[in-house]
Amino acid sequence: MKKKYSQCRSAAMIAGFVVLFALAAASALAAEKGMVEMITDVAKEKGMIGAASFDPQGKLMLPKDYRRWVFVGAPVTPNDMNGGKAAFPEFHHVYIDPGSFKLYQETGKFRDGTVIVKELATVGGKKGASGNGYFPGEFNGLAVAVKSSSRFADEPGNWGYFNFGGEGGKLKESARAQETAACSPCHQKNAAQDLVFTQYYPVLRAARAK
C-alpha cells in the first residue's frame, strides 16, 4: 500500500511539473508575442518597413550602418567603355539588409520590406599596385530601393526608388520617392528577377543555388 501511495505521489508530482512547465512555456510565448507586438507598434510609429524608416511626410530616412549589411557586388560601367557617355560611370557598391538576404537564401524571393542600397564611388584611376585596372575613387552618391506593397502599391513590383545625392557630394538626410519613369523602366526591361539585377551579383546567384 505504501509503495502504491508513493507511485501515485510521484505521478502527481510529475503531472504537476508538466503543468507548471506548460504554464511557463505559455507565459514565455505570451511575453514573446507581446514583445513582438510592441516592437511592431514602435516600428509602425517610426514609419519603419523592414530596414527602412520613413518620416511623417513619407520621406525615406538615410539608411544607417548599411556597410554592415550583406555586400552583394560592385558593378562599374566606365565612360571609356561607353563612348564617354555612360549613364552611371561610377562604381556601385550594393548592399542588402541582412534579414531580407536570409529570406532570399531560403525562398529565392525578395520579401516585402527588402532594402537595397547602392553606394556610388567615382572611378579613381586605371593603374594600381596589381597592374592596370579600374579602382574606386571617392564616394559621390547613394541610391536606395525599397520593396513595400503598402507604400508602393501602384509601383511596378512594389519597388520605390530614392536618390540621396546632394550638393557637393554630401548626402541628404531624407529623400522622396522618385517618379516611376526615373528608374523603374530600366529595371523592368533589364533586371533578371523582381526588378533586381540579380544577374550581376554573384553573391545573390550563389544564394539561390543553395
Side-chain angles (χ1 to χ4, degrees):
M1 183 63 122
K2 186 175 181 181
K3 183 178 181 181
K4 186 175 182 181
Y5 172 76
S6 178
Q7 290 176 338
C8 290
R9 184 180 178 185
S10 297
M13 289 178 66
I14 292 172
F17 283 130
V18 170
V19 172
L20 287 173
F21 179 79
L23 289 173
S27 178
L29 286 173
E32 182 179 353
K33 183 179 179 182
M35 181 64 71
V36 170
E37 290 176 347
M38 182 179 72
I39 293 173
T40 301
D41 290 340
V42 171
K44 288 180 178 178
E45 289 177 7
K46 291 183 176 295
M48 293 185 69
I49 296 175
S53 181
F54 294 82
D55 70 11
Q57 287 71 47
K59 291 183 178 181
L60 177 66
M61 304 304 295
L62 182 67
K64 305 295 184 184
D65 296 326
Y66 59 85
R67 289 177 188 149
R68 297 178 182 229
W69 294 4
V70 179
F71 179 75
V72 298
V76 58
T77 52
N79 278 322
D80 63 359
M81 294 180 67
N82 294 276
K85 298 180 179 179
F88 303 100
E90 307 91 352
F91 277 94
H92 293 173
H93 296 171
V94 181
Y95 303 83
I96 182 172
D97 69 280
S100 296
F101 179 76
K102 183 176 185 297
L103 282 180
Y104 186 79
Q105 284 182 305
E106 296 172 356
T107 66
K109 297 179 181 180
F110 295 104
R111 68 173 178 177
D112 203 57
T114 296
V115 181
I116 298 176
V117 170
K118 181 172 66 177
E119 186 176 45
L120 279 56
T122 61
V123 178
K126 298 181 182 178
K127 294 183 178 181
S130 58
N132 295 333
Y134 297 105
F135 303 92
E138 302 300 324
F139 295 119
N140 69 340
L142 188 132
V144 179
V146 179
K147 186 179 178 70
S148 171
S149 58
S150 59
R151 283 189 177 269
F152 310 117
D154 298 328
E155 294 295 329
N158 299 143
W159 286 98
Y161 299 93
F162 303 82
N163 182 2
F164 285 87
E167 295 183 5
K170 185 177 181 180
L171 299 180
K172 297 181 290 186
E173 287 299 316
S174 62
R176 291 192 181 281
Q178 295 181 283
E179 296 293 330
T180 303
C183 293
S184 187
C186 180
H187 285 255
Q188 292 180 62
K189 181 180 179 180
N190 300 296
Q193 180 192 2
D194 193 11
L195 276 67
V196 178
F197 297 106
T198 53
Q199 69 268 39
Y200 302 133
Y201 304 133
V203 173
L204 293 180
R205 295 200 303 270
R208 290 191 66 192
K210 291 182 178 180

